[in-house]
Amino acid sequence: MDSICASTSIIAHQVFDRKSQSVVCRIPIVEFAGRRVRRSWSLRMVARQRKDRVLGLAVRAQAAEVTKEAYAFREDRIRIPRGLNDGSDSGLSHGRLWPPANKADDPALHNPLLRQERMGCGWLGVIFEWEGVVVEYDPELEKQAWLALSQEEGKSPPPGFVLKRIEGMKNEQAISEVLCWSRDPSELRRLASRKEEIYQRLNGEFHQFRTGSREFLGSLINNGIPMAVASTRPRKFLEESMVAVGVEGSFSAIVAAEDVHRGKPDPEMFVYAAQLLSVIPERCIVFGNSNSTVEAAHDAQMKCVAVASKHPVYELGAADLVVRKLDELSIVDLKNLADIDSSEFESQEPELEME
């Protein structure tokens, strides 16, 4: 408002600051006629008053235009970013002001009950890592497989900190980027395939549910929550393991090593799993057993539940929830985690300027 008043003052100053248009106060001529007092105005004063009224109207009109432009600019500044539904962050929305659009809403659904279900906290998707979360997993077998491969290929055995670093990576990614054994694509495929053969030989036919996993999966199926598996193991290994524990066909999507270019901590496989489930990342919950999984899930704007199967609970504090067994969780816990009013949505809202 200070800027508007200043602009009005400038306009008035420009209009009246002329010698030819200076305002002069003149006293009218007074005549006494009997008991009546008559006032007479000169023609010059009447013309000057008319001219002053015209100038006053001009000042008010220009001031109104300045006020209108100032308020129009203020309204443009409080408009929210455009395209909360399509993920675009640039541009201004000229149709909707406040509150921002709900990313979980789907206007294509004509059934209001379905739209309400999607916008409520009951709509979510679950992405599981397979080994160490759903089925039992021995991390020592993974280390033995890498050591056996290095001995077989005549390479220096990787130290313990390197083996810990490559946990969760694709075999090709670990061989080329960390172990630096080769960068030839055909050689990478051969070494990765050989490493998986060694691991499966060490693991044998051992496929067993972790305690509480079967009951938790059954609860998710009964509540109609879509599930996916994301792993850096080959698809053949995952399908055989699912058949062995009797859950084949229970998952809506399977993301295996052949489906992604990079493994953890890159969030690629979790983002792809969310696309296959047709669920936005902010409403997906990832179940893993390592800090690399937590990092990848958070980079994908997903919640993460860490299962303390190979790491102690205190080392997994970055996760949104930490459990020792899956049956410690309920459906209500998952709904609370996937609540639409989360920090991911709030971070995309603009900050309003205070008056």
Side-chain angles (χ1 to χ4, degrees):
M1 293 302 295
D2 294 339
S3 61
I4 297 172
C5 295
S7 302
T8 307
S9 301
I10 293 173
I11 295 171
H13 178 72
Q14 291 177 352
V15 173
F16 288 107
D17 191 18
R18 298 177 185 175
K19 293 182 179 180
S20 61
Q21 297 177 355
S22 60
V23 179
V24 180
C25 181
R26 294 180 181 274
I27 301 175
I29 300 173
V30 179
E31 296 179 356
F32 294 91
R35 293 184 178 180
R36 294 184 180 180
V37 178
R38 294 189 302 178
R39 295 181 181 182
S40 61
W41 299 83
S42 63
L43 295 177
R44 182 181 177 185
M45 291 185 64
V46 173
R48 186 178 297 279
Q49 285 184 347
R50 291 178 180 176
K51 189 174 183 180
D52 291 343
R53 283 198 297 269
V54 173
L55 292 176
L57 292 175
V59 171
R60 286 194 294 270
Q62 294 186 35
E65 290 296 327
V66 172
T67 304
K68 182 178 179 181
E69 292 178 1
Y71 277 102
F73 174 74
R74 181 175 177 272
E75 289 178 359
D76 287 340
R77 292 192 66 180
I78 66 172
R79 295 182 186 274
I80 61 173
R82 187 181 190 176
L84 283 178
N85 288 326
D86 57 9
S88 61
D89 293 327
S90 60
L92 294 175
S93 173
H94 296 284
R96 184 186 179 94
L97 288 176
W98 201 259
N102 191 329
K103 293 178 66 175
D105 190 15
D106 184 6
L109 292 175
H110 300 290
N111 189 332
L113 296 179
L114 292 179
R115 289 187 66 179
Q116 178 64 28
E117 181 183 358
R118 289 176 67 89
M119 291 189 292
C121 62
W123 176 58
L124 56 94
V126 172
I127 303 173
F128 288 101
E129 285 190 322
W130 185 248
E131 295 178 310
V133 177
V134 180
V135 297
E136 294 289 352
Y137 167 67
D138 187 0
E140 291 299 323
L141 297 182
E142 187 78 12
K143 298 178 181 179
Q144 293 177 19
W146 282 113
L147 294 174
L149 179 64
S150 63
Q151 183 179 4
E152 187 177 285
E153 296 293 327
K155 307 289 185 181
S156 299
F161 72 92
V162 173
L163 293 176
K164 187 174 183 179
R165 181 182 174 187
I166 62 179
E167 288 181 0
M169 290 186 176
K170 282 189 63 175
N171 293 333
E172 294 87 345
Q173 180 184 356
I175 293 170
S176 63
E177 298 180 10
V178 182
L179 299 176
C180 300
W181 288 350
S182 176
R183 293 188 181 274
D184 181 66
S186 60
E187 183 69 7
L188 289 177
R189 288 192 295 269
R190 185 188 70 82
L191 292 174
S193 177
R194 179 57 184 161
K195 183 262 176 182
E196 284 300 322
E197 291 177 0
I198 296 174
Y199 175 79
Q200 293 186 28
R201 187 178 71 244
L202 293 174
N203 189 56
E205 299 296 330
F206 179 75
H207 301 284
Q208 180 180 346
F209 267 121
R210 294 193 75 250
T211 305
S213 298
R214 184 189 297 272
E215 294 78 8
F216 185 69
L217 292 179
S219 179
L220 295 179
I221 295 173
N222 292 336
N223 285 272
I225 297 177
M227 302 182 297
V229 170
S231 174
T232 53
R233 295 290 181 197
R235 181 176 295 271
K236 180 181 178 181
F237 173 83
L238 292 176
E239 292 177 347
E240 291 177 353
S241 182
M242 290 179 184
V243 171
V245 297
V247 294
E248 66 277 11
S250 300
F251 295 92
S252 303
I254 299 176
V255 178
E258 299 90 338
D259 302 318
V260 295
H261 295 286
R262 301 177 64 83
K264 298 176 301 182
D266 193 284
E268 180 184 359
M269 63 180 183
F270 297 140
V271 174
Y272 184 45
Q275 293 175 354
L276 295 178
L277 292 177
S278 299
V279 179
I280 59 175
E282 290 85 353
R283 301 300 296 275
C284 288
I285 302 175
V286 175
F287 288 79
N289 65 344
S290 64
N291 283 314
S292 61
T293 303
V294 177
E295 179 182 354
H298 287 171
D299 285 345
Q301 303 298 318
M302 301 178 182
K303 300 296 190 304
C304 184
V305 176
V307 180
S309 59
K310 66 176 181 179
H311 296 286
V313 173
Y314 63 84
E315 289 186 4
L316 302 171
D320 298 284
L321 280 177
V322 182
V323 296
R324 291 182 174 83
K325 300 180 296 180
L326 289 180
D327 60 356
E328 297 177 10
L329 294 171
S330 65
I331 301 299
V332 175
D333 295 329
L334 301 186
K335 290 182 178 182
N336 290 334
L337 269 183
D339 192 356
I340 198 69
D341 295 328
S342 60
S343 59
E344 286 80 5
F345 289 88
E346 294 174 358
S347 62
Q348 296 181 8
E349 298 175 0
E351 295 184 359
L352 293 179
E353 294 186 352
M354 301 299 294
E355 288 286 342

